[in-house]
Amino acid sequence: MQLTRVLQYFKKRPKWPGLMTSGKHRYLPVITSKQKAKAVKSFIREESNVKILQNPYITKEEEHGAMKALGKPQAKFEAIKEAKKQKAWPTDVSMKKYLEHLNITKSWE
């Protein structure tokens, strides 16, 4: 306890009222050159990753040939892909279809 008090006495930072990290008179830590270099390095890495991800690895034509080379028929693969797409979300969805069962009691006069 006493050691901490002594060490805090020699640390140079301004006195401020209230919480250190919030409010009008908050304490903003000094940013060092190592922190700046680390941030720049991470930005460069992220930018290179984005460039890699933006460009496709192979073209559509190469992909078509790759399926043949693997021994898988392309038409069957496309049919499976289309079936999955149709299962995912029906094309003709309307509220009338879902609320049709409520109209059973209505009759013509």
Side-chain angles (χ1 to χ4, degrees):
M1 184 81 160
Q2 294 296 329
L3 178 63
T4 307
R5 188 178 297 168
V6 169
L7 292 175
Q8 288 294 327
Y9 177 76
F10 290 110
K11 187 166 184 166
K12 300 292 184 195
R13 67 178 175 202
K15 302 289 184 198
W16 53 84
L19 297 173
M20 290 178 13
T21 57
S22 65
K24 183 178 175 183
H25 302 290
R26 65 177 173 258
Y27 171 70
L28 299 174
V30 178
I31 298 172
T32 63
S33 58
K34 284 184 181 179
Q35 291 172 331
K36 287 181 187 178
K38 189 176 178 182
V40 167
K41 196 180 273 188
S42 71
F43 284 139
I44 291 171
R45 185 181 342 106
E46 285 180 21
E47 186 177 347
S48 67
N49 288 344
V50 167
K51 283 182 183 177
I52 290 169
L53 292 173
Q54 281 178 345
N55 300 325
Y57 184 69
I58 56 175
T59 62
K60 291 281 186 185
E61 294 80 21
E62 290 172 341
E63 182 181 344
H64 189 75
M67 292 302 288
K68 286 181 183 176
L70 288 174
K72 298 180 180 180
Q74 183 69 20
K76 184 178 177 183
F77 178 71
E78 292 295 332
I80 292 170
K81 200 188 259 187
E82 190 65 33
K84 281 185 180 180
K85 193 182 288 183
Q86 287 179 354
K87 274 186 180 178
W89 184 256
T91 54
D92 54 344
V93 176
S94 64
M95 288 304 293
K96 184 176 181 182
K97 179 181 173 185
Y98 287 111
L99 301 176
E100 192 66 36
H101 67 282
L102 299 175
N103 290 331
I104 310 172
T105 57
K106 288 186 180 177
S107 61
W108 292 95
E109 293 182 7

